Amino acid sequence: MQLKDYLQLSPEVSEAQRCGKPIVAMESTIISHGMPYPKNVETALNCERICRENGAAPATCAIIDGKLCAGLTEEQIDTLGREGQKIAKASRRDLPLILAQKRNGATTVAATMIVANLANISVFATGGIGGVHRGAETTMDISADLEELAKTPVCVVCAGAKSILDLGLTLEYLETKGVPVIGFGTDELPAFFTRHSGFPLQWRVDDPKIIAEAIKAAREIGLGGGMLVTNPIPEEYSMDKELIDRAIQRAVEEAEQQGIKGKEITPFLLAKINELTHGSSLESNIALVYNNVRLAAQIAAGL
C-alpha cells in the first residue's frame, strides 16, 4: 500500500490545492473530547465557516474508517461530536493501530500536524497546544505535541499552551527543541483563557505576512520542524487570571485524587474548569478558537 491508500482529501481541499488556494488544517479532538454536544459540532462548523470567510479552505482532520482525512463532511463532524469520548483520541503513537483496524479517531495537535504535513498543508489552527504538565519533574508527563513541533514542518496557531500546564517549562522545552515561538501582537506568552502569563517571548510579530515569510524561509533553508504562533484570546473574552488559576488548582487537585492521568487528564481538567466557572470558560474557549482560525487563514493567504 502507498500513502494514497491511507490519505483522503475532501473535494474542497483537493480543489483548493489544485487552484493554489490557502488551506487551514484543524483538529478533531476539540470536537470529540474538548466540548459537550451539540456545542462541539456548532463550534467546528463555525470554524469552517470563518475559515472560508477569510479566504481559506478548511481541512478539519480526523481518522475515518481507517483513513487519514484532511477535510470532513458535516455528517462526519456530527458523528465525532455525538460519539464524543467513545472516539479514540489519536496522537502519533496511536495512528498505526487505528489505521490497521480501520477505526475512527479524533486527531490531537500532534496527529493533526502529521495529517496536515502529509497533505501538504502548512498552517494549522487550534485552541491551545499540550505541553509540560505540572509535576512533570516526577511524572515525566510531557505532551507529544511538543515533540511533533520539533520535527514536523507545520505552523500551529494557538492561544498559547493550555493554562492547566507548567507554562515556564513548556517554553523551556520548546526552546531546547529549537521551535520558534512567536507572539502575535504580544510580547508575552498568552495563557489560553487569559492574555497574560508573565512569561516573555523572544519574538513578537504584528503582521501575518511576516509569519508567512518566516514559514517560507524555514522551508527553503531546510530547517525542519514546526513553528508556534501564540495569539492572545480577544480582550472581551479574557478571563480573570486569579479566578481561572483558582479553578485550575482545584481541578488539578481533583484529578490527582481520582488518579486521572495521561491522555485523559486534559479533557477532565477542561470539563471541571468549565463546571467551576459556570460555563464561562467554555465560551472563552470557543472565542479563542475562532480568533485563531481567522489568523491562520491570514497566514495561509500570505503563503
Side-chain angles (χ1 to χ4, degrees):
M1 297 181 76
Q2 299 176 340
L3 176 59
K4 63 182 177 62
D5 298 309
Y6 293 103
L7 182 64
Q8 183 171 295
L9 308 184
S10 70
E12 183 177 10
V13 171
S14 293
E15 178 64 12
Q17 287 195 336
R18 189 184 69 80
C19 299
K21 182 179 178 181
I23 305 170
V24 173
M26 291 177 279
E27 61 159 296
S28 48
T29 52
I30 199 170
I31 305 171
S32 61
H33 292 69
M35 298 179 186
Y37 182 83
K39 200 71 173 178
N40 49 6
V41 172
E42 176 189 325
T43 300
L45 295 177
N46 279 337
C47 283
E48 295 207 335
R49 174 183 56 79
I50 291 166
C51 195
R52 294 185 185 104
E53 288 174 353
N54 285 272
T60 303
C61 298
I63 308 167
I64 304 294
D65 298 328
K67 293 275 191 180
L68 300 169
C69 295
L72 303 178
T73 65
E74 288 193 21
E75 182 181 3
Q76 288 168 334
I77 289 173
D78 189 71
T79 296
L80 291 171
R82 281 181 182 275
E83 295 196 8
Q85 297 195 27
K86 295 178 185 176
I87 300 286
K89 186 177 179 182
S91 191
R92 171 179 278 269
R93 69 174 185 181
D94 308 297
L95 294 182
L97 280 302
I98 294 175
L99 295 178
Q101 297 176 66
K102 302 192 183 308
R103 294 174 58 191
N104 292 343
T107 53
T108 62
V109 168
T112 304
M113 288 182 72
I114 292 169
V115 176
N117 187 46
L118 291 173
N120 295 314
I121 300 170
S122 298
V123 184
F124 160 33
T126 186
I129 62 162
V132 179
H133 280 262
R134 300 180 186 201
E137 62 271 16
T138 55
T139 65
M140 294 299 293
D141 191 351
I142 300 172
S143 172
D145 296 351
L146 302 187
E147 283 295 314
E148 209 59 51
L149 277 161
K151 68 177 74 169
T152 302
V154 172
C155 174
V156 179
V157 180
C158 69
K162 297 181 179 78
S163 46
I164 56 178
L165 303 167
D166 187 319
L167 300 183
L169 289 182
T170 297
L171 272 180
E172 289 288 350
Y173 197 98
L174 289 168
E175 181 182 357
T176 299
K177 294 293 182 177
V179 177
V181 181
I182 299 166
F184 182 72
T186 183
D187 296 299
E188 67 177 291
L189 180 72
F192 196 67
F193 292 120
T194 66
R195 295 173 62 87
H196 306 289
S197 67
F199 293 99
L201 294 175
Q202 183 72 30
W203 294 101
R204 170 179 175 151
V205 174
D206 298 328
D207 184 350
K209 291 180 181 177
I210 299 298
I211 299 173
E213 287 296 324
I215 295 169
K216 182 181 177 185
R219 180 193 301 156
E220 290 183 346
I221 66 173
L223 198 58
M227 186 174 295
L228 189 65
V229 176
T230 61
N231 184 31
I233 183 172
E235 188 77 58
E236 62 269 32
Y237 292 99
S238 182
M239 299 187 69
D240 179 78
K241 190 174 187 304
E242 289 187 10
L243 171 69
I244 198 66
D245 284 350
R246 284 198 302 270
I248 289 168
Q249 186 57 41
R250 187 169 162 191
V252 168
E253 289 169 359
E254 288 197 29
E256 289 175 353
Q257 290 166 5
Q258 296 181 36
I260 297 171
K261 299 177 181 178
K263 65 167 66 175
E264 306 305 323
I265 187 75
T266 298
F268 172 85
L269 291 176
L270 291 177
K272 179 57 66 174
I273 292 165
N274 185 51
E275 175 190 322
L276 293 171
T277 60
H278 307 290
S280 58
S281 69
L282 177 59
E283 293 308 311
S284 293
N285 194 348
I286 292 169
L288 66 84
V289 172
Y290 293 164
N291 195 42
N292 294 340
V293 171
R294 289 187 195 95
L295 176 57
Q298 293 165 11
I299 295 169
L303 286 169

